[in-house]
Amino acid sequence: MPEFDLIARIQARAASRGDVVLGIGDDAAILRMPPGRDLVVAMDTLNSGVHFPEDTAPADIGWKSLAVNLSDLAAMAATPAWCTLSLSLPQPDAAWVDGFLDGFLALATQHEVALVGGDTTRGPLSVCVTVHGLVEPRGALRRKGARVDDDVWVTGTLGDAAGALRQWQAGEAITPALRARLDRPMPRVAAGRALAGIASACIDVSDGLLADLGHVCRASRIGAVLDVDALPASEALRRAFDRRTVRTLQSGGGDDYELCFTAPKTARLAIESASLACGAPATRIGRITADAGEIALHDAQGVAWSPPRRGYEHFGG
Ligand code: ADP
Ligand code: MG
């Protein structure tokens, strides 16, 4: 099957939006910006065997390739609008592309994102997506902006995706609820938007909580102290691993795609109600300190805790 047949399959299924002047089919897409909005652009690549296990279903690869990009827009408090897709395939496999689109377009529909173009080439399996979102001028959340004594929060639960990966790497049976978090991350788009004007800094947890909060610390020139027993964990994770492993997966494991953000103490009630309203309950896990670049961890008794190794290997990043 030649490349243009694959593109025709993609074009036939991609939904449009009113602000797409010209979508798939020409040399480039034409998009109409609403007046008074800034454009927010993010790109992420997923390589087979690096960013997802080789046995991942095409539909899950499709979902995840868009999800990780929408997660970056979520962390900026942007509203997704459009995306482009670069597909590198070992062979022109129509069944694979159909499966891929099932997952990709299901998530695109949920967030009303139009696929407006891309590129299709032959090569090792690799998927690169660019997403475009909109924000009001100065309405975006950034890594910079956290202040000393701000609370540190995280949405949802941490460690599930890393738990699935650990089971997969050990050749064990993978708990379905954990595998679902690895394969079908839910980008926190509504939560990100709700936090605009409330949070002082924000990042999505793709590489692991400590790594990603570390980026906020460096950008904001502050440090943080976290209560490792306050980190939210799913029932599935607690059932599957001992407490020490749970802590390690939560603090170091990647691929969760939750939002980690900071906010002044005065915002607690606003955050609790806003995060609940969009189905991404937020948990307070620590506070910002003046120790620039330092993240200290302790348990519920106040005893210092350090992870066995930082930067636990994973499929994220
Ligand atoms: P060109 O050679 O001018 O770049 P292509 O044959 O690569 O044209 O692409 C033709 C059209 O199909 C373009 O509109 C392009 O954006 C779109 N397209 C190609 N591959 C993809 C893809 N994987 N997903 C979405 N659109 C695609
Ligand atoms: Mg091209």
Side-chain angles (χ1 to χ4, degrees):
M1 164 166 289
E3 173 207 284
F4 53 80
D5 283 357
L6 289 182
I7 298 174
R9 291 180 101 81
I10 296 170
Q11 183 175 19
R13 290 183 61 186
S16 194
R17 322 183 350 142
D19 51 12
V20 177
V21 180
L22 187 61
I24 297 171
D26 212 303
D27 291 317
I30 305 175
L31 310 170
R32 185 153 298 157
M33 285 287 294
R37 289 288 182 281
D38 288 349
L39 182 63
V40 183
V41 181
M43 173 196 268
D44 255 326
T45 301
L46 300 189
N47 292 326
S48 181
V50 180
H51 300 97
F52 54 86
E54 284 92 346
D55 66 355
T56 306
D60 292 333
I61 298 169
W63 177 285
K64 188 165 183 170
S65 67
L66 182 58
V68 301
N69 278 279
L70 292 179
S71 179
D72 283 322
L73 291 189
M76 303 297 289
T79 303
W82 313 298
C83 65
T84 55
L85 165 66
S86 174
L87 274 181
S88 165
L89 302 173
Q91 57 263 329
D93 181 341
W96 192 94
V97 169
D98 287 345
F100 176 91
L101 290 173
D102 289 342
F104 188 96
L105 296 176
L107 186 62
T109 303
Q110 272 186 26
H111 292 277
E112 295 176 45
V113 178
L115 175 60
V116 298
D119 201 17
T120 306
T121 56
R122 196 182 281 240
L125 179 57
S126 174
V127 182
C128 179
V129 174
T130 303
V131 287
H132 309 80
L134 303 168
V135 285
E136 286 180 22
R138 291 172 297 280
L141 293 172
R142 302 184 183 197
R143 297 177 178 186
K144 187 176 153 180
R147 299 247 177 88
V148 174
D149 278 340
D150 277 359
D151 293 320
V152 180
W153 297 78
V154 69
T155 59
T157 62
L158 295 172
D160 285 354
L165 203 54
R166 175 166 285 208
Q167 291 172 331
W168 181 80
Q169 282 165 340
E172 295 164 5
I174 305 177
T175 308
L178 303 183
R179 178 92 205 209
R181 288 291 306 274
L182 180 66
D183 289 338
R184 296 249 168 173
M186 298 294 268
R188 297 300 196 180
V189 172
R193 287 171 59 187
L195 291 168
I198 302 177
S200 51
C202 186
I203 192 166
D204 67 318
V205 182
S206 55
D207 295 341
L209 177 68
L210 295 180
D212 290 315
L213 182 58
H215 295 314
V216 171
C217 289
R218 274 184 295 281
S220 299
R221 299 171 190 275
I222 44 79
V225 55
L226 302 183
D227 175 355
V228 75
D229 287 329
L231 301 180
S234 69
E235 272 305 306
L237 191 72
R238 287 196 199 284
R239 268 201 295 270
F241 298 97
D242 61 54
R243 193 170 71 154
R244 187 185 129 92
T245 307
V246 167
R247 285 173 171 177
T248 304
L249 295 169
Q250 289 187 291
S251 57
D255 268 3
D256 289 315
Y257 300 99
E258 297 291 353
L259 296 181
C260 176
F261 60 96
T262 61
K265 291 193 182 92
T266 50
R268 286 179 184 176
L269 277 178
I271 288 167
E272 273 158 15
S273 58
S275 66
L276 274 180
C278 49
T283 305
R284 207 149 33 85
I285 59 171
R287 90 188 139 73
I288 295 300
T289 66
D291 296 333
E294 282 295 310
I295 302 178
L297 296 134
H298 60 75
D299 66 15
Q301 278 72 50
V303 179
W305 183 84
S306 52
R309 55 193 158 143
R310 297 203 178 200
Y312 174 78
E313 78 279 9
H314 59 83
F315 277 87

